[in-house]
Amino acid sequence: MTLQLNRNASPIRMRNYGRIVQDMIGYACTVENQAERESLEVYIAQCMRQRNLVWNRDQEAGMARVREDILRLSEGKLKCDSDNFQRLMAQPNMVMTNQPKKKKK
């Protein structure tokens, strides 16, 4: 008897963010509702900025770098041009407060 595990064989495109952020961006690209998509963009950017702080404690990458990385990972599908995202870019010390709302079952 053999046990076969299904693993995601696609490579991680940016190791400093990991597969979870890459998968979150992939999911956000499929969301049709614009408000939900913008909320996900902000949440993903917050996660990415915190990941950058873990990997690069000595230098702050900033939200401009995070925005470029989101554009690159989403292949241009996520624009990051909402008002909420612009306010987030202006914040020097960001706190993760904008978590997307969970769907009711």
Side-chain angles (χ1 to χ4, degrees):
M1 180 173 169
T2 60
L3 177 66
Q4 188 174 21
L5 297 175
N6 294 330
R7 296 187 182 194
N8 193 344
S10 65
I12 298 173
R13 293 178 61 192
M14 293 186 174
R15 291 186 143 217
N16 56 328
Y17 298 122
R19 184 172 307 280
I20 291 175
V21 171
Q22 183 173 319
D23 291 344
M24 285 192 305
I25 289 174
Y27 171 74
C29 290
T30 63
V31 172
E32 299 285 330
N33 185 345
Q34 188 65 25
E36 185 179 348
R37 179 182 263 201
E38 289 174 2
S39 177
L40 284 170
E41 287 174 359
V42 171
Y43 182 70
I44 291 168
Q46 289 172 335
C47 292
M48 291 172 76
R49 186 163 182 199
Q50 284 198 341
R51 289 281 196 149
N52 274 336
L53 291 174
V54 168
W55 280 80
N56 302 316
R57 287 188 184 265
D58 297 336
Q59 64 186 48
E60 169 65 31
M63 290 306 295
R65 171 66 186 265
V66 168
R67 183 173 188 242
E68 291 172 12
D69 290 344
I70 289 174
L71 285 170
R72 187 175 310 127
L73 284 171
S74 70
E75 297 173 353
K77 294 176 185 170
L78 299 178
K79 302 296 182 194
C80 303
D81 57 359
S82 68
D83 292 336
N84 288 336
F85 197 89
Q86 299 304 326
R87 278 192 294 260
L88 179 66
M89 287 186 71
Q91 291 179 0
N93 297 324
M94 177 198 60
V95 182
M96 294 208 26
T97 57
N98 190 17
Q99 293 185 359
K101 295 178 183 172
K102 293 182 180 179
K103 294 181 179 179
K104 294 180 183 178
K105 293 182 180 181

